[in-house]
Amino acid sequence: AVLLLTAGFSATSAFAAGGGAALEEAHIDPGAIPSLQRGARNYMNYCSGCHSAQYVRFNTIGKHLELTDEQLVDNLMFNAEKTFETIRAAMPSADAERWDGKAPPDLSLMARSKGADYIYTFLKSFYVQEESPTGVDNIVLAGTSMPHVLWELQGYQKAVFSEHTEEDADGNVSTTLHFEGFEQVSEGALDAEGYDDFVRDTVNFLAYIAEPVRGERRKIGTWVIMYLLVFLVIAYMLKKQIWKDVH
């Protein structure tokens, strides 16, 4: 079983006070069907083992991502039988809670809760940490219990910190760590650009399932605005006609 996002998702960074890593822009495109199709593939292969997406159905994904029922069954529905079913985690929640301390969260609304930039940066920010039980930590979410499940694709990297010592008026000395950047320790199956694209597609899909009707809503909204503009012109002309003899 694999984890995409830690069960204890939090936006707090232990390095924030010392100048932690800023979030990178994901630059996702929810209207890019090929990207969403790749993201769906990534999600089902790397996320659905532990994380459910109980608010989106496979047939909804197929409709919006231009996939036939046969393509859904052959490529995405690893633990479902009917296309009207939602995405369920392969790992039983009771086992996940016993192994991880807390059941992994449902990811249906994660992109709306944390934002695409947060998830994008999180998935790129694992670094080697020998003291961690998983052997890694994360700049965005310090102390994360999630292992680096994408290490085969990204490889391993180490974080470079600089120490800054400050003394207050009472003579108390405090030391903070400032994150400077990453250094590659071992290469992954993908180069840096390929890994960025992989993560971007995955985040794009997460953003899509957080609001599957986003595209339809925008289309309807465009027509509503056009209607209101036309009605505004008609109302103005009617007002001019009614009040033309009033001085």
Side-chain angles (χ1 to χ4, degrees):
V2 295
L3 294 172
L4 175 62
L5 302 178
T6 180
F9 228 147
S10 168
T12 303
S13 171
F15 304 105
L23 298 183
E24 297 184 43
E25 292 187 20
H27 297 295
I28 61 173
D29 181 5
I33 300 300
S35 173
L36 292 175
Q37 291 175 345
R38 294 190 298 268
R41 173 203 62 193
N42 300 346
Y43 182 92
M44 295 308 300
N45 281 284
Y46 289 91
C47 314
S48 64
C50 296
H51 293 277
S52 62
Q54 61 181 336
Y55 299 125
V56 61
R57 301 181 185 276
F58 283 104
N59 54 9
T60 299
I61 294 174
K63 173 185 175 182
H64 294 151
L65 273 59
E66 302 176 0
L67 300 172
T68 65
D69 286 354
E70 183 177 293
Q71 290 173 320
L72 285 173
V73 173
D74 292 342
N75 299 285
L76 299 181
M77 294 175 56
F78 303 145
N79 58 349
E81 297 180 357
K82 304 296 183 180
T83 58
F84 59 76
E85 294 182 31
T86 60
I87 299 177
R88 300 191 305 269
M91 181 171 59
S93 59
D95 291 339
E97 186 172 0
R98 185 172 69 255
W99 296 332
D100 302 322
K102 183 178 181 181
D106 181 270
L107 298 185
S108 302
L109 302 176
M110 188 60 71
R112 295 187 68 177
S113 173
K114 297 298 182 181
D117 294 346
Y118 180 92
I119 303 175
Y120 178 75
T121 308
F122 175 81
L123 292 176
K124 294 180 57 180
S125 298
F126 283 94
Y127 66 93
V128 175
Q129 176 59 272
E130 295 181 358
E131 291 78 11
S132 170
T134 61
V136 295
D137 205 341
N138 194 286
I139 293 297
V140 176
L141 183 59
T144 178
S145 59
M146 173 182 167
H148 187 14
V149 297
L150 301 178
W151 70 269
E152 290 183 316
L153 302 179
Q154 186 189 27
Y156 282 112
Q157 58 189 2
K158 68 176 182 179
V160 179
F161 299 98
S162 61
E163 291 188 358
H164 292 256
T165 303
E166 296 181 357
E167 183 176 353
D168 60 20
D170 297 327
N172 298 317
V173 178
S174 61
T175 301
T176 57
L177 295 177
H178 286 238
F179 172 67
E180 302 293 343
F182 293 112
E183 289 183 4
Q184 197 73 24
V185 175
S186 63
E187 299 296 327
L190 301 176
D191 58 18
E193 183 178 355
Y195 184 74
D196 287 353
D197 291 340
F198 180 93
V199 173
R200 183 174 294 108
D201 290 337
T202 306
V203 175
N204 199 22
F205 179 73
L206 287 172
Y208 155 73
I209 64 174
E211 192 178 6
V213 297
R214 179 177 182 272
E216 297 177 7
R217 175 175 57 78
R218 289 194 169 190
K219 290 180 181 178
I220 295 175
T222 300
W223 284 107
V224 170
I225 292 175
M226 291 174 61
Y227 167 80
L228 292 176
L229 289 175
V230 172
F231 183 78
L232 176 63
V233 173
I234 295 175
Y236 178 75
M237 294 175 62
L238 181 62
K239 177 259 183 185
K240 293 271 292 184
Q241 180 67 25
I242 293 175
W243 291 90
K244 67 179 181 179
D245 295 327
V246 178
H247 301 285

